[in-house]
Amino acid sequence: GDSVTQMEGPVTLSEEAFLTINCTYTATGYPSLFWYVQYPGEGLQLLLKATKADDKGSNKGFEATYRKETTSFHLEKGSVQVSDSAVYFCALTPRGGSNYKLTFGKGTLLTVNP
Amino acid sequence: DAGITQSPRYKITETGRQVTLMCHQTWSHSYMFWYRQDLGHGLRLIYYSAAADITDKGEVPDGYVVSRSKTENFPLTLESATRSQTSVYFCASSDGVSNQPQHFGDGTRLSIL
């Protein structure tokens, strides 16, 4: 079945540091890929997405590129802020058919210190 | 305002009691989902629904019951709560297109004593 593996963390960085959170996936065909963010006490919010190979999703300074050859969708940000402290989830949905269930990674806790 | 709301936000109950978590969405999305979030497990799908009166099991359905008589509502019932069901529960909805995201509520934190 489909699966998502992401670095478990926790990740602790200083403000303005560079962030990478690794995500790899196993799926048949060409899934759609997502990064969700969960701030303390809140539900998950979509951060960015990519729906085909070589697509780059971007939002709020975060970027991730859909790499079919390495089955990866790593999340990056050039300069993190304290307000980026949250849990980040990589996820996929299979393409086509009637299965719209999200498969999540286990999440990565990011703490950014001033 | 359009959105997805869960109630209650917090609930404490005792083992053996029945408890129902409510979820309401205003987008008229066809799909709705229930997840539980536990440390070390991430989010796990409990049940989902493709439309009114159509529901199906997810990864961890045992001990839970769902219904969907109206498109906008998707309640989750624990018929006889157990301590292992202490968790944070999230409801989500989507329009059923695979490249579109799911939209999540703010969650219900359930403690079973």
Side-chain angles (χ1 to χ4, degrees):
Chain A
D2 298 341
S3 66
V4 175
T5 302
Q6 63 179 104
M7 58 189 288
E8 291 193 9
V11 175
T12 302
L13 296 174
S14 297
E15 208 165 22
E16 300 184 2
F18 184 86
L19 169 70
T20 300
I21 300 177
N22 290 335
C23 171
T24 58
Y25 67 89
T26 302
T28 55
Y30 291 83
S32 294
L33 301 174
F34 305 87
W35 276 101
Y36 284 84
V37 58
Q38 184 181 28
Y39 298 105
E42 298 184 10
L44 278 72
Q45 303 173 24
L46 178 69
L47 181 60
L48 52 84
K49 70 174 186 178
T51 59
K52 60 183 188 294
D54 300 325
D55 265 2
K56 178 184 282 188
S58 61
N59 186 25
K60 299 181 181 180
F62 291 89
E63 294 183 338
T65 301
Y66 189 143
R67 300 288 188 199
K68 180 65 176 175
E69 63 276 11
T70 55
T71 62
S72 65
F73 193 54
H74 304 323
L75 182 68
E76 297 182 334
K77 186 173 186 182
S79 176
V80 293
Q81 306 300 312
V82 172
S83 57
D84 294 326
S85 298
V87 181
Y88 292 82
F89 292 92
C90 186
L92 67 82
T93 55
R95 181 174 301 280
S98 60
N99 181 356
Y100 304 117
K101 293 181 286 184
L102 271 168
T103 298
F104 284 96
K106 291 190 175 179
T108 302
L109 173 63
L110 170 67
T111 302
V112 180
N113 294 319
Chain B
D1 289 342
I4 183 164
T5 55
Q6 294 184 235
S7 61
R9 288 297 312 277
Y10 304 92
K11 178 74 177 179
I12 300 173
T13 191
E14 297 176 340
T15 56
R17 299 253 186 179
Q18 177 174 287
V19 59
T20 296
L21 309 184
M22 305 302 293
C23 179
H24 175 80
Q25 53 104 356
T26 59
W27 289 298
S28 299
H29 283 162
S30 56
Y31 277 77
M32 295 187 75
F33 307 83
W34 275 107
Y35 297 89
R36 60 178 289 174
Q37 184 177 27
D38 304 287
L39 199 63
H41 293 279
L43 281 95
R44 293 181 290 177
L45 182 65
I46 303 170
Y47 269 96
Y48 68 103
S49 169
D53 298 322
I54 300 175
T55 63
D56 207 350
K57 296 178 180 179
E59 182 184 356
V60 289
D62 292 344
Y64 302 95
V65 174
V66 294
S67 62
R68 194 154 176 221
S69 58
K70 293 184 178 181
T71 300
E72 62 266 31
N73 296 324
F74 191 40
L76 175 74
T77 297
L78 289 66
E79 292 193 308
S80 179
T82 66
R83 289 200 179 93
S84 64
Q85 293 176 310
T86 293
S87 186
V88 181
Y89 291 84
F90 288 100
C91 179
S93 71
S94 77
D95 60 8
V97 179
S98 65
N99 64 358
Q100 295 302 314
Q102 292 181 13
H103 300 270
F104 285 78
D106 285 336
T108 294
R109 184 175 293 276
L110 177 63
S111 297
I112 300 165
L113 307 178

